Amino acid sequence: MKRLLHGLALLLLATLLTACGPQRQSVFPPTITIQQMRALPDGAWQLSVRIQNNSYTGMDYQSIEGSLQVAQGIPARVHAKFDLTIPSFAGDVVQVEVLPTPAMSQALQAVAGKGSAGSLPYVLTGSVHCVPNLEDHPDNKNPRDFPFNSNSFLSPVPGVPNTFR
């Protein structure tokens, strides 16, 4: 019985000492999606790209580099630099302009002609560059690049011309 009590006391002491260690940061890849897309008069597309921080710490997002593929056509380059601080488990939106290919523009016009019944599949892939927020954790300055891959559909917004969600 005495040995059992000593064993339990040692186990309790080890558990308490482990809890006293430095706080572990859990950093996870963000979720990147297109929240809204507008066709601009000059032919470019303005994407409202939503970045959802899935980490237990705030993150400073700095750039996105990738491609947008619409209707299984040739992808267009998606690139933007910005300074966006997103707290843990929160999201924010950044505006990115994309120059679509002629085939992408034709596919969008075909869907716009169908009204709210139309939808256009897209794939957004690439990587996002970020750094853990220094205010939350001044000792962690390791930059990170997280890959992302988002598949969904764009549909015309009723009553709002040249806008898709």
Side-chain angles (χ1 to χ4, degrees):
M1 183 69 166
K2 199 173 194 184
R3 277 187 150 175
L4 180 63
L5 287 176
H6 283 281
L8 287 175
L10 281 174
L11 182 63
L12 180 63
L13 180 63
T15 303
L16 288 173
L17 288 176
T18 302
C20 294
Q23 183 179 5
R24 185 173 166 220
Q25 296 178 21
S26 295
V27 177
F28 297 102
T31 303
I32 311 290
T33 56
I34 296 176
Q35 183 168 316
Q36 179 174 292
M37 193 277 294
R38 285 188 26 212
L40 301 176
D42 64 357
W45 293 357
Q46 182 183 50
L47 305 178
S48 296
V49 177
R50 179 173 179 77
I51 302 173
Q52 178 68 40
N53 182 7
N54 297 324
S55 298
Y56 284 90
T57 183
M59 300 290 280
D60 294 327
Y61 292 90
Q62 299 169 342
S63 66
I64 187 170
E65 181 69 45
S67 64
L68 172 66
Q69 182 180 20
V70 173
Q72 300 177 358
I74 297 171
R77 182 174 183 237
V78 176
H79 174 77
K81 290 189 177 203
F82 44 86
D83 186 21
L84 189 63
T85 299
I86 303 178
S88 60
F89 299 109
D92 207 344
V93 176
V94 64
Q95 303 299 320
V96 179
E97 280 201 20
V98 174
L99 296 174
T101 64
M104 291 169 70
S105 296
Q106 289 172 353
L108 187 69
Q109 288 174 355
V111 168
K114 295 179 182 178
S116 59
S119 65
L120 184 64
Y122 75 85
V123 177
L124 182 64
T125 59
S127 66
V128 62
H129 182 76
C130 57
V131 177
N133 190 308
L134 295 179
E135 291 178 10
D136 292 344
H137 301 285
D139 56 331
N140 188 355
K141 300 175 186 173
N142 298 330
R144 298 174 188 244
D145 289 318
F146 288 112
F148 63 85
N149 187 357
S150 174
N151 312 359
S152 193
F153 294 89
L154 294 170
S155 297
V157 177
V160 185
N162 301 321
T163 304
F164 301 80
R165 290 191 185 135

